[in-house]
Amino acid sequence: MSNYLCHDFKTPRTDTSRRLPNSFRIVPVIFYVAMVAGAYFITIDVLGYRAANRDKATFNQIKADHNAEKAKYETQTGSLTVETARAQEVAKWIEGTRSLQPICVKINRSIKADARLGELLVERNEQLPSQFILSMKLTGASVTDVQQIQSNIEQLNYRAYSPQQSKQADVIDYRSNLVWQQR
């Protein structure tokens, strides 16, 4: 008898396919390499994502700091703009008083020693800057003193238009419009 305990009862089959070629043995190797490469790239992506989140947080902090600094500078710029506007208004006011100063000086020099100037108001007309409204109260003065003041103002090329004066007790209340005359 035979030494083999098992006999092969297979019959040769012709409907089976041939064995795969030896080059297909590389397929499992490629699979494992792809798995390792995928794990590597996923790890790199996760680390990159975390680094991007840190950079984003840093950027947001820097942006907030810049916005706070920008707001501070805008506040300072706004206050400087307001201060510049006020300074320009003061400059305009001083420029506007340049024509008032000679009038006030002439009025003060025209008043005699025994008379007192109780109130002096010189208002500039906003629509017509060359016109002024003069209002004054004189104590202890006479009508000739008021006429002297008018003649001194006329030396500055201003004409009194519709002058009004009233005398109550010892006080003369004088009001007129001063109109610039071009010569």
Side-chain angles (χ1 to χ4, degrees), residues 113-165:
D114 58 340
R116 300 267 185 246
L117 182 61
E119 182 180 310
L120 175 64
L121 235 95
V122 182
E123 298 177 38
R124 203 163 94 189
N125 192 344
E126 289 184 19
Q127 286 82 19
L128 301 168
S130 63
Q131 292 185 5
F132 300 103
I133 299 170
L134 173 66
S135 176
M136 64 181 163
K137 290 186 181 182
L138 298 167
T139 306
S142 65
V143 176
T144 57
D145 293 335
V146 174
Q147 290 173 349
Q148 179 66 29
I149 291 171
Q150 280 181 347
S151 66
N152 285 341
I153 290 175
E154 286 176 0
Q155 291 175 358
L156 297 172
N157 294 334
Y158 283 99
R159 183 173 56 93
Y161 180 72
S162 69
Q164 301 168 357
Q165 59 184 347

